[in-house]
Amino acid sequence: MKARLPKEYQNAAPNMNAMVKKAQKMQEDMARVQDELAEKEFTKQVGGGALELVMTGDKQLKSVTLKPEVVDPDDIEMLQDLIISGVNEILKEVDEYGAAEMGKVTDGVSFPGFI
């Protein structure tokens, strides 16, 4: 006597192969998006252009440009606040962009550790 799988499981192998291929494609696309994101540069100005930051998509700060009038030795706190504000804003922009691009690849499924 031969054991047989129920009908709903008999065609599971072709479906599994298709799922594996889809997962491999998604993995390749995610790696491509991460590589592209690492190359992309983001620029953010704060304080009416007094501070400009340039950061890559992999969160490497490339440059900080300050207008001379913002450097006031009597008001260091204002400069510190401006830098903190700018860094937080550009990080948020990078994260939102990365999440949107990755969402296009994963159809909205979240993968911890990827953007």
Side-chain angles (χ1 to χ4, degrees):
M1 187 150 88
K2 273 176 118 176
R4 293 199 177 172
L5 291 172
K7 277 188 177 184
E8 61 267 14
Y9 295 106
Q10 288 180 5
N11 294 324
N15 290 339
M16 183 61 84
N17 288 338
M19 282 178 37
V20 168
K21 285 182 182 181
K22 186 175 180 180
Q24 288 172 335
K25 169 101 170 72
M26 186 183 296
Q27 187 177 25
E28 290 168 4
D29 290 345
M30 288 170 63
R32 179 188 46 78
V33 167
Q34 284 185 315
D35 290 344
E36 289 172 3
L37 186 59
E39 302 269 331
K40 184 167 177 56
E41 287 190 357
F42 296 82
T43 302
K44 180 61 96 180
Q45 292 184 349
V46 294
L51 170 68
E52 181 179 275
L53 300 164
V54 177
M55 181 177 281
T56 61
D58 60 351
K59 299 179 184 173
Q60 298 297 308
L61 192 58
K62 302 249 332 196
S63 71
V64 176
T65 306
L66 296 167
K67 286 191 174 176
E69 60 267 18
V70 78
V71 183
D72 180 357
D74 296 327
D75 194 5
I76 297 296
E77 288 180 10
M78 187 272 304
L79 180 57
Q80 292 168 336
D81 290 344
L82 190 64
I83 292 170
I84 289 169
S85 170
V87 169
N88 287 335
E89 285 186 34
I90 200 165
L91 283 170
K92 182 179 176 186
E93 183 178 330
V94 168
D95 285 341
E96 288 173 354
Y97 180 86
E101 290 300 302
M102 197 59 73
K104 292 175 187 176
V105 171
T106 64
D107 292 328
V109 177
S110 177
F111 292 93
F114 289 94
I115 308 292

